[in-house]
Amino acid sequence: MAPKDPLLGSLKVCVLNLQSSGQTVTDSSPHLSSCCELLELVLRKGIQQPVVSLVQRDYWQCLEQIPLHDTCGRLPAVSLAVEQTKACKKLLSAQGRGRYLLRLALSRKILPQFINHLLHTPRILEWYCPTLSIIRNEEFLEPFMSLLLVLSHMDFKLDMENCSFLDESWLIPVSDIYEVVPCRELGLVLRYLHGRVFVLELSPGSQAYVDKFISPGDIIDEINGTSLRNAKNGQAGVVLSRLKGCPLSIRVVRWHQQDGSVYRPLIKLLRTLREDNPGLQLVPAPSQHSSRTEQKASSSSSSQCLKDGRIVYIVQYLGKANIGMFGGKEVLQHAIPQVLHKNLPSKEVLLDLKETHLTCTDRNAKTRLPRNPHSTGFCCVVLKASSIKECEDIVCRIGETDPMEDENLRQCLRRPTAQGQAAPGNFRVGGEEME
């Protein structure tokens, strides 16, 4: 009977489990981490350490040497994968780079190429012990290559940017992208711990506080492509200052898994964080989806809804009035009562706060409110929110890109009605006709 290796037996079970699903393999596939770990153990088994060296040899050193021995340039896919791995600034160890390269090779279906060229490169192959390794054992090599061939026929869709914890674990954390429009204050209170940038709290009234996308305990992994892995104190602030006034794309690593349990590699760090900050409350974010709009849709109140993949406010349209060629708050203070005194029936509309402009759409007709074709100046549009708090939130969102606009809106909010009662929730938008 042919000898059997327990690693190959376990790897075969994992590969068959991945294959049986019949679906594209993603980071959330339950058997992916086990499969990758077994591949790592196979490639690591039997590696001989140099007699005199301060660096312990790992399979990454073996694989990165392959392009160096390709004098004819026959391995472009292999060379590109190695160079991409070397260029990744989120990886600090040989173990992390080896794991990243394995995930990349699976995604690009080139893992069999790596092993084939390794077998035909004697200077690298001699690093493996002929009696202990699977790579140099002919009886074990054939079934191993067969399993790699099966993997190369499967589709892998892995998030290669979510790699900051590969130095420590094969367990991939939940990672989301937080898209932020230009704002005056993002409002994140940060703590640097062991090269990680943790969020301690969100400043009340800030953009992050309003969006409720990030929660205390989460990690800021990168900002607009700039990695914060192994960041020094204040480095995130420097990056944000450099990007002031620009849209932000922030990769957030969640402190918890999809099921709400703590991400295991973070347990010790979170414990230290809570000891230093007793008031830290770890509450999962409303959603762990990478889409910001989906996250907000799942946690929005009845005064918000999802339209064309965006979160919009449900407000009441009370009317509009032409205000001529000047749209300052002095004119608006007269225009708003003019609209209210008409006492027109309100209409439920969807208010979408976009980065450069606003749109107002009839909720029932699903069409934008019509423009006045004869109007050549500004138009005051009066809307009513469901509460004072929501009105203030909308005003805050509008005013983030224009401080003068913010002040104009707040002046109008403090204006009393003709009956001498406060009119919370009534506000004008933009000092001009809505699209």
Side-chain angles (χ1 to χ4, degrees):
M1 180 179 294
K4 294 183 180 180
D5 188 281
L7 284 179
L8 292 180
S10 300
L11 179 60
K12 180 179 179 180
V13 173
C14 280
V15 171
L16 292 177
N17 285 332
L18 285 175
Q19 188 184 39
S20 64
S21 66
Q23 300 177 347
T24 300
V25 180
T26 65
D27 288 324
S28 60
S29 299
H31 303 287
L32 175 64
S33 60
S34 297
C35 182
C36 290
E37 186 173 358
L38 288 167
L39 286 172
E40 179 178 67
L41 291 174
V42 170
L43 293 176
R44 187 173 280 166
K45 186 175 182 179
I47 292 181
Q48 303 178 104
Q49 298 301 322
V51 178
V52 180
S53 177
L54 298 177
V55 179
Q56 186 174 7
R57 184 181 288 165
D58 201 2
Y59 66 95
W60 157 250
Q61 283 88 355
C62 300
L63 298 180
E64 74 164 333
Q65 292 291 318
I66 294 176
L68 300 179
H69 295 274
D70 178 31
T71 57
C72 300
R74 297 170 298 176
L75 309 175
V78 170
S79 298
L80 285 174
V82 170
E83 290 304 315
Q84 180 175 332
T85 303
K86 290 180 177 179
C88 183
K89 296 182 179 180
K90 298 181 182 180
L91 308 170
L92 307 180
S93 67
Q95 176 169 273
R97 294 185 184 95
R99 290 173 173 177
Y100 182 93
L101 185 60
L102 280 182
R103 284 168 54 85
L104 192 59
L106 288 172
S107 298
R108 298 182 179 178
K109 306 178 186 294
I110 58 174
L111 189 52
Q113 293 183 42
F114 269 100
I115 306 306
N116 275 324
H117 290 293
L118 173 61
L119 296 173
H120 290 84
T121 310
R123 290 186 180 181
I124 305 176
L125 191 60
E126 66 184 11
W127 292 3
Y128 284 91
C129 175
T131 59
L132 298 178
S133 68
I134 291 176
I135 297 295
R136 295 188 65 179
N137 187 313
E138 294 184 0
E139 294 179 338
F140 293 154
L141 181 61
E142 183 177 350
F144 177 57
M145 294 302 295
S146 297
L147 292 175
L148 294 186
L149 187 61
V150 173
L151 288 172
S152 68
H153 285 88
M154 298 168 59
D155 292 325
F156 288 80
K157 188 177 181 180
L158 309 180
D159 183 2
M160 297 308 302
E161 296 299 321
N162 188 8
C163 60
S164 293
F165 281 86
L166 287 177
D167 290 319
E168 295 105 317
S169 173
W170 270 115
L171 189 63
I172 304 300
V174 175
S175 177
D176 293 325
I177 302 297
Y178 177 31
E179 303 286 353
V180 191
V181 299
C183 58
R184 285 172 289 172
E185 181 185 5
L186 186 56
L188 298 177
V189 179
L190 306 177
R191 164 72 190 280
Y192 297 78
L193 184 63
H194 291 251
R196 308 283 184 185
V197 184
F198 284 89
V199 177
L200 277 185
E201 59 179 294
L202 310 179
S203 300
S206 66
Q207 182 69 50
Y209 185 87
V210 172
D211 289 341
K212 292 181 171 36
F213 187 88
I214 299 178
S215 62
D218 289 342
I219 293 175
I220 305 300
D221 188 46
E222 67 177 50
I223 302 175
N224 284 27
T226 300
S227 172
L228 294 179
R229 177 75 173 96
N230 205 34
K232 308 299 182 184
N233 285 350
Q235 187 171 335
V238 172
V239 175
L240 289 173
S241 297
R242 190 169 65 244
L243 296 171
K244 188 175 182 179
C246 301
L248 300 177
S249 178
I250 302 175
R251 178 174 287 273
V252 180
V253 173
R254 301 297 189 185
W255 63 265
H256 53 87
Q257 294 289 73
Q258 294 283 4
D259 60 2
S261 61
V262 178
Y263 177 56
R264 289 202 300 271
L266 286 181
I267 291 177
K268 290 184 179 180
L269 293 178
L270 289 174
R271 186 179 295 122
T272 301
L273 207 62
R274 295 196 69 172
E275 289 174 354
D276 296 341
N277 304 273
L280 177 65
Q281 298 293 327
L282 297 178
V283 180
S287 172
Q288 295 102 34
H289 296 292
S290 59
S291 168
R292 182 184 180 191
T293 56
E294 290 179 2
Q295 181 270 330
K296 286 188 173 182
S298 66
S299 61
S300 63
S301 64
S302 58
S303 61
Q304 298 179 21
C305 68
L306 188 66
K307 176 181 177 291
D308 297 331
R310 295 176 57 85
I311 293 296
V312 296
Y313 290 92
I314 303 173
V315 297
Q316 298 294 320
Y317 172 79
L318 303 181
K320 63 181 179 181
N322 294 325
I323 57 176
M325 302 302 295
F326 178 69
K329 65 177 183 291
E330 295 83 2
V331 178
L332 290 172
Q333 288 174 346
H334 296 90
I336 293 176
Q338 180 182 342
V339 174
L340 296 178
H341 288 163
K342 293 180 181 179
N343 200 26
L344 298 174
S346 63
K347 181 185 299 184
E348 199 170 62
V349 296
L350 304 178
L351 177 63
D352 189 356
L353 308 181
K354 297 187 176 181
E355 185 173 335
T356 58
H357 64 282
L358 315 177
T359 60
C360 199
T361 308
D362 189 319
R363 189 182 185 188
N364 296 320
K366 306 297 184 183
T367 58
R368 290 183 181 178
L369 298 185
R371 286 180 177 271
N372 184 348
H374 304 294
S375 175
T376 58
F378 287 97
C379 185
C380 171
V381 176
V382 181
L383 305 173
K384 182 177 182 179
S386 61
S387 65
I388 295 178
K389 181 180 183 302
E390 182 176 66
C391 184
E392 288 284 2
D393 289 342
I394 296 174
V395 169
C396 181
R397 292 283 299 278
I398 297 173
E400 282 163 356
T401 56
D402 188 348
M404 289 300 296
E405 183 74 7
D406 192 16
E407 179 58 27
N408 287 347
L409 288 169
R410 294 185 185 280
Q411 290 287 342
C412 293
L413 277 170
R414 289 194 288 268
R415 180 201 55 76
T417 64
Q419 289 77 20
Q421 298 176 346
N426 295 336
F427 58 93
R428 61 97 189 177
V429 180
E432 59 184 345
E433 185 178 0
M434 301 294 292
E435 289 186 281

